[in-house]
Amino acid sequence: MAQIINISIDLSKVDKSQIKEVTLKSGKTAKFLNLTQFINDEQDQYGNICSISMQQSEADRNLKVPKVYVGNGKRVWADNGTAKATPVNNTTQSDEAPETDDLPF
């Protein structure tokens, strides 16, 4: 299934030492950051269906070093007709009257 997922990354959580600078075949340099994306079957309460962490080495995984989560993402399109993600409302209903919108349009 094809999907478009918009992701948001908190750059303050990125370990700058993990940014690798490489020389391309063209002679230009480029900077890369290896990340891991986890895609969930269901969206969370904010409409996110994926989370992103810094990539871990095999040694880090074996030592059970905690993952550093740097962001998450929402599905905005899927070829199976899935519409834009909508947050799950976890609030309970009350007897109060709903707020009215007094905008003129």
Side-chain angles (χ1 to χ4, degrees), residues 33-49:
L33 176 64
N34 294 323
L35 301 169
T36 302
Q37 180 177 9
F38 305 91
I39 301 176
N40 303 316
D41 293 331
E42 300 292 326
Q43 66 185 19
D44 67 11
Q45 63 184 358
Y46 305 106
N48 298 312
I49 64 153

Side-chain angles (χ1 to χ4, degrees), residues 98-105:
E99 291 184 29
T100 57
D101 187 359
D102 60 351
L103 295 176
F105 51 89

Side-chain angles (χ1 to χ4, degrees), residues 20-33:
K20 307 296 181 202
E21 189 166 333
V22 297
T23 302
L24 304 174
K25 291 180 182 179
S26 65
K28 295 180 180 179
T29 59
K31 294 181 181 181
F32 289 92
L33 176 64

Side-chain angles (χ1 to χ4, degrees), residues 30-81:
K31 294 181 181 181
F32 289 92
L33 176 64
N34 294 323
L35 301 169
T36 302
Q37 180 177 9
F38 305 91
I39 301 176
N40 303 316
D41 293 331
E42 300 292 326
Q43 66 185 19
D44 67 11
Q45 63 184 358
Y46 305 106
N48 298 312
I49 64 153
C50 68
S51 57
I52 298 95
S53 73
M54 299 289 296
Q55 187 176 33
Q56 287 186 310
S57 67
E58 184 176 354
D60 286 342
R61 289 190 302 274
N62 290 338
L63 292 171
K64 306 285 188 207
V65 174
K67 293 176 182 69
V68 176
Y69 288 93
V70 296
N72 48 49
K74 296 179 183 191
R75 179 186 302 119
V76 294
W77 179 85
D79 66 359
N80 67 353

